Amino acid sequence: MPTAIAVTSTDLVLPPTGPGTPQAAVLPPPESRPLDASLADMQQLLARYGHVVVVCPAAAPTAVEHRLRAVRALLESDRIALVRTDLPPLGAAVLVRQLRQLAGYDFSPGVLASAARLLAHYIYAGAVLGSVSRLDRVPVSLGSHLKGWLPGAHFAVLAGPTPQIVRLGSRSGSAAGSRSASGSRSASGSASRSGSASRSGSASGGEHLAGPEFATELLLARGQLQTDWPTTTLVPEWRIPGPVHEAPLPASSPGWWGTGKLVEFAAYLPDPAVLHQLVSSVRREACHWCGMELIGDRCGFCAAPLPPAAPPPPDPGSRALGPGPREGGHALGTGTRTARPALP
């Protein structure tokens, strides 16, 4: 029986990539659903699937998280996992679809819930913005704020896995500013692409958004900003071979990015078999608190951290072998005095 993947809004539900991709259960917002109805909805999911993994963006209203925690507490169920993600709306939707794809395999509920943190590191989520003056979820330098007042200034922003901001020119799309965070590709890799990047309207002076070093597909969601920079510049820079897919802009995207003048994008691993291999390659542990299976350093169901590894046993070869010279009534081995026992 597959684990149910539930979400807190319809924005997090992308079309399936194939007939084997399970659907996601959409939990209505608290203002449109009384508490007893939310309890009944969750009870039905538990009865049908056994376990439920709920993906709730960290930027969701506080009332949404409170409702989820209240439902789990009232049901006294340890079969409900609340997965929070800091990804922007389009990237979070990609993460949900990947979890839906993995739910069709034989992963245990604990592995599936804790895999969300692993998969998020392989989603390159960003946007092209007309302004960064109200952007508060990605570090913005003072210089970027000041350059945002220049006429026609656009910014390419990467929210994860490493935050980064590059200013784009109004005409050619070339960068005139500096990054707000580290994480660029190596200098040799940038140099090898400098010729093609300048021809495609990329950032000048070696300024690039740090892209993935593995094969990805690109998903776009267009807002009010008119720009083709993601398709004309980002696709060749990140060497994305496949077609560019488009989706409606999530309703929460303007609030997340601080402006409606944007084009949001996310590069991701599209092949479910690759995702399966990625998750399967990670060592599995048993949660010391709830007993669920997990990968990584934290349980996806009870959020208990993985205990630190026990120190290795002392090397028997370092101990004294046989009687040796004595000093003060204690045997010494290889010239090293043994520790005296502590006095009571």
Side-chain angles (χ1 to χ4, degrees), residues 89-128:
L90 191 64
V94 169
L95 174 63
V96 169
R97 185 165 63 182
Q98 290 180 337
L99 290 176
R100 291 161 53 195
Q101 291 172 329
L102 292 177
Y105 290 93
D106 57 350
F107 290 119
S108 66
V111 170
L112 192 61
S114 54
R117 298 180 64 196
L118 171 67
L119 298 177
H121 290 289
Y122 293 88
I123 297 176
Y124 284 69
V128 182

Side-chain angles (χ1 to χ4, degrees), residues 5-316:
I5 304 298
V7 294
T8 55
S9 71
T10 56
D11 288 343
L12 297 176
V13 182
L14 293 173
T17 57
T21 304
Q23 294 294 328
V26 180
L27 304 178
E31 61 271 15
S32 66
R33 195 78 165 165
L35 179 57
D36 57 348
S38 297
L39 289 170
D41 293 341
M42 187 61 68
Q43 285 177 323
Q44 290 180 1
L45 288 175
L46 291 173
R48 181 177 179 181
Y49 295 97
H51 292 80
V52 180
V53 175
V54 184
V55 180
C56 178
T62 306
V64 174
E65 181 183 1
H66 288 174
R67 172 61 61 87
L68 292 173
R69 296 192 180 278
V71 167
R72 187 171 64 174
L74 291 173
L75 292 178
E76 297 182 349
S77 175
D78 57 357
R79 296 181 294 155
I80 304 172
L82 303 183
V83 176
R84 307 301 304 273
T85 177
D86 293 320
L87 288 171
L90 191 64
V94 169
L95 174 63
V96 169
R97 185 165 63 182
Q98 290 180 337
L99 290 176
R100 291 161 53 195
Q101 291 172 329
L102 292 177
Y105 290 93
D106 57 350
F107 290 119
S108 66
V111 170
L112 192 61
S114 54
R117 298 180 64 196
L118 171 67
L119 298 177
H121 290 289
Y122 293 88
I123 297 176
Y124 284 69
V128 182
L129 307 179
S131 171
V132 293
S133 60
R134 296 183 179 180
L135 178 62
D136 58 2
R137 300 187 182 278
V138 178
V140 182
S141 66
L142 177 60
S144 295
H145 272 299
L146 295 177
K147 291 168 185 175
W149 293 98
L150 298 176
H154 293 165
F155 295 87
V157 183
L158 192 64
T162 301
Q164 186 182 356
I165 297 180
V166 171
R167 179 178 173 264
L168 308 178
S170 58
R171 294 183 180 179
S172 63
S174 61
S178 62
R179 298 189 182 99
S180 63
S182 62
S184 63
R185 296 183 181 180
S186 63
S188 61
S190 298
S192 65
R193 295 189 303 271
S194 59
S196 60
S198 60
R199 290 191 298 270
S200 63
S202 178
S204 62
E207 294 291 341
H208 303 275
L209 285 186
E213 299 294 341
F214 45 85
T216 61
E217 287 187 0
L218 190 68
L219 180 66
L220 293 181
R222 300 184 182 274
Q224 301 175 7
L225 187 65
Q226 300 298 321
T227 178
D228 292 326
W229 185 86
T231 55
T232 60
T233 301
L234 193 63
V235 166
E237 280 187 1
W238 285 6
R239 301 173 183 177
I240 298 176
V244 176
H245 306 278
E246 295 202 20
L249 184 72
S252 56
S253 291
W256 201 98
W257 294 102
T259 177
K261 295 183 177 181
L262 81 158
V263 175
E264 194 171 3
F265 58 82
Y268 57 95
L269 292 167
D271 190 352
V274 175
L275 298 175
H276 181 273
Q277 182 180 6
L278 176 64
V279 176
S280 299
S281 64
V282 182
R283 178 180 176 180
R284 303 184 188 186
E285 305 279 355
C287 177
H288 70 284
W289 182 258
C290 68
M292 297 291 288
E293 224 180 7
L294 64 92
I295 60 174
D297 59 357
R298 187 173 298 274
C299 178
F301 274 79
C302 69
L306 192 68
D315 186 4

